[in-house]
Amino acid sequence: PDAVFEVDGERHAIEAELSHKGNREQRLIEAQHSSRYDAVIYFCGPQTYNLLKRVRDEGRWPKLVVRRLPEGQ
């Protein structure tokens, strides 16, 4: 992850994802992070947001949190 945040004994992986990765590669990363951390939080651009939102909506990785990065000003 880009960073790890620890709070109340939990470790949260933080990812700022600006580039679009392939579906398979992204799922592999999510599987690895989910096995190591209590939560996996992605802040991402539009394309990556759409992919990760679909992954999250499958319900396979309940630790996954997806947030949009603010659009450029």
Side-chain angles (χ1 to χ4, degrees):
D2 294 314
V4 175
F5 182 77
E6 294 188 30
V7 60
D8 294 331
E10 291 186 359
R11 296 181 68 213
H12 297 216
I14 309 295
E15 288 278 5
E17 200 64 56
L18 302 176
S19 61
H20 184 70
K21 291 185 173 59
N23 188 23
R24 181 182 168 117
E25 181 182 7
Q26 190 63 59
R27 289 167 190 271
L28 177 62
I29 292 168
E30 182 54 39
Q32 291 171 343
H33 286 352
S34 288
S35 70
R36 295 179 184 149
Y37 301 100
D38 298 295
V40 182
I41 305 164
Y42 275 87
F43 294 92
C44 34
Q47 287 183 337
T48 305
Y49 175 82
N50 291 332
L51 170 62
L52 285 167
K53 186 174 179 295
R54 284 194 306 273
V55 169
R56 183 198 63 207
D57 290 348
E58 291 173 1
R60 188 170 171 193
W61 290 290
K63 298 177 182 181
L64 178 61
V65 177
V66 183
R67 298 286 184 252
R68 286 186 191 269
L69 283 171
E71 297 289 327
Q73 295 184 20

